[in-house]
Amino acid sequence: MVGVGAQVRVDRLVSGLEGPTQMIVGPDDRLWVAQLVGGENAGTGQVVAVDRDSGELDVLVDGLDKPTGIAWLDGGLWIATPTSVLRAEDDDRRTRRPPSRAYRTTAVRREP
């Protein structure tokens, strides 16, 4: 049970997440959550979108190595992992409500 002051109310939005590490409000107004899924070094991490009304989960990106940071910038989802920064783009270019598993990721490389 979460302890809070008398003026604060805490409601559960979603349960069943697997090792959430960070969350942001996505461009579609859903809560986007990076999570480890499985063991910390399993390479099965995900970014999921949570509908804030229903609590329904939608997998946006999976197969990630320990995603610990996410941001939405310049029409792309940026993902920090222990060894890379990835940029995921919506293959269908529907940035307002990205479809499940429709993202491709590329590593961002620093130019010499």
Side-chain angles (χ1 to χ4, degrees):
M1 184 66 182
V2 176
V4 296
Q7 301 299 318
V8 178
R9 181 177 136 185
V10 176
D11 295 315
R12 182 180 314 270
L13 171 65
V14 64
S15 59
L17 293 172
E18 299 182 54
T21 58
Q22 187 185 8
M23 61 186 167
I24 63 171
V25 176
D28 56 3
D29 205 37
R30 295 185 293 173
L31 189 63
W32 290 13
V33 181
Q35 60 178 357
L36 298 176
V37 185
E40 188 170 320
N41 296 310
T44 54
Q46 298 176 331
V47 177
V48 298
V50 180
D51 184 287
R52 296 192 294 169
D53 293 323
S54 68
E56 181 182 331
L57 291 177
D58 212 4
V59 177
L60 300 178
V61 183
D62 59 7
L64 297 169
D65 177 30
K66 209 183 304 184
T68 55
I70 55 176
W72 181 262
L73 180 65
D74 296 331
L77 173 62
W78 295 79
I79 306 163
T81 70
T83 60
S84 302
V85 173
L86 306 173
R87 178 182 162 92
E89 294 184 39
D90 184 351
D91 284 343
D92 295 329
R93 303 289 185 242
R94 287 181 270 170
T95 58
R96 290 299 302 158
R97 187 163 176 83
S100 176
R101 291 185 173 86
Y103 277 82
R104 65 179 188 285
T105 57
T106 55
V108 177
R109 290 191 168 65
R110 187 174 166 195
E111 296 297 321

